[in-house]
Amino acid sequence: NRSGPVLNGIVGAAAGSVDGFKYSKALRAAAQDGLMWSEVELAAFLAKPKAYLKGTKMSFAGLRKEADQAAVIEYLKTFE
């Protein structure tokens, strides 16, 4: 939980739910509004994090290819 939250179990989890990580105000607000990290939401976030969630602390530019987004999500699902 230093440069980002631990992502084990992230697929299907509520956004902003990892204890011990200081989330951005934008992500905390989205979490309060009920954001859940479904595969669809994760794909949109992975494509362009800053466009998906204005004000995110995520410095990653994103993954352009849908196949790359899907591969990352499938990888994350192995840690559920």
Side-chain angles (χ1 to χ4, degrees):
N1 284 337
R2 290 181 161 246
S3 62
V6 173
L7 299 177
N8 295 354
I10 194 79
V11 180
S17 61
V18 175
D19 289 333
F21 184 74
K22 186 176 178 184
Y23 291 98
S24 65
K25 289 179 185 178
L27 195 115
R28 288 193 310 257
Q32 286 182 333
D33 289 343
L35 176 62
M36 299 291 288
W37 287 124
S38 67
E39 291 184 37
V40 171
E41 298 295 335
L42 280 169
F45 185 73
L46 288 170
K48 289 187 177 180
K50 290 187 184 272
Y52 176 84
L53 189 62
K54 302 280 189 216
T56 184
K57 294 192 306 186
M58 177 70 118
S59 60
F60 176 65
L63 297 171
R64 292 183 183 176
K65 297 180 184 176
E66 287 183 21
D68 292 341
Q69 297 160 18
V72 168
I73 292 167
E74 287 302 313
Y75 175 74
L76 290 172
K77 286 169 53 177
T78 67
F79 296 100
E80 293 185 85

